[in-house]
Amino acid sequence: MAACTDALSRSWSHAIRLTFQPFRLVFWLKATLLVFLIQGISLLNFHLDYEALMDSNYETWVEEAMRQMPVLVTLLGIYFILAILFDFLYAVSRFLFYDGIAQGMVTYFISFHRLLPQIVAFFLWYFIVKALFVFMAGLGFVVMVLAAWMLSAAFEQTTALILIISLNVLLLTILGVFVAFYLVMLNSMVAPLMAILKLGIFAAWRISLRLALENMGEFLGYAFFRFLIVLGYAFLLFWISLIVGILSFGLYKPSFNPLELGVSRVVLLWLISLPFDFFLTWILLPVPVWQNAYALSFMAQLTGAEELEPHGGETDIKKPEFEEPIPGAGPSEAIRTAFTDIPISPGNSSSTGETNEAPPSGGSILFPPPPPGA
């Protein structure tokens, strides 16, 4: 497990250098916004009087649902639109954050302009897979209900209950392992290859799966250390939020029913909570910087591609990020984006087969040198 431990040590040094050597307020603010969007802006949860609903009859349920139908439709419509918007912002922020850590400074416009095809490909993949997962989860729930009904009819009540619980635990465990494996692969292996080496989504997945299978011990070690970092970050975020919430409001995220408050008041309360969440993200910024630097260092260790290792010396990271130029601002540059521009092969090839990016140097296993005499 030398690769995952060496990468962990190097990424810690990178995180300290990027955040404190020197301390750059502009970098902190710009990186915090990206982390804030990567984490997702949490929407207010519904809090219903479940006990009253359980005690009520079917007619009461239907009457209440019909009475609140306009509010429910409005909330669901807003949620659906925001979900699509946040998915795209997630893809943009994920790529800009990786690029900022790799380069030593965060540049919104330059990185977005350069990585737009990869961002679009990642967003489409992320959105389609998530939609398929929701559909399959709903289908699986129906199947589990039917299986529970069949077991209840075929066995004695206690035996059927034990079998149902065991089957649910087994399937949920398998699903949890699969989802965890998928998320680690997508966010910390596929995304870095696309963001730094500018690979297409399918090429990045093919290479990532091969590297994970060929280095399973290193991959499991990396996943374990990454989980510990995420767990520590979530622990700090929760307790700081809890303490501040108790001191400020007496309760942490008080429960309420948005159906009773109305859509406008729910949106207002949600907007009021955003600055506080942003401030917490700003305080804890070194942790996500360390986490994403760890992904880059680990992939650099596995692939041998030096471009993946976070860099940027003292001279580079002292550049004035607030003077970032806007690409395409002049009259001579324009950008066209179509579905055929979405990269599907290494080198960000266009639909005409022309390669816009030179392959990384260093003779990594991603781009091996040509054989002698070729």
Side-chain angles (χ1 to χ4, degrees), residues 58-119:
Y58 175 77
E59 289 76 10
T60 304
W61 279 54
V62 175
E63 180 182 353
E64 180 66 18
M66 294 302 297
R67 186 175 68 87
Q68 299 291 352
M69 185 61 65
V71 178
L72 288 172
V73 172
T74 303
L75 290 175
L76 289 176
I78 293 175
Y79 183 86
F80 181 75
I81 295 173
L82 290 178
I84 296 177
L85 175 61
F86 290 161
D87 282 346
F88 182 73
L89 291 177
Y90 170 82
V92 172
S93 303
R94 172 71 67 183
F95 277 63
L96 267 58
F97 194 52
Y98 270 131
D99 189 58
I101 293 177
Q103 303 301 326
M105 59 185 301
V106 177
T107 54
Y108 289 163
F109 300 108
I110 295 176
S111 297
F112 180 79
H113 182 269
R114 179 164 48 85
L115 297 174
L116 181 57
Q118 281 77 18
I119 291 173

Side-chain angles (χ1 to χ4, degrees), residues 363 367-374:
F367 301 95

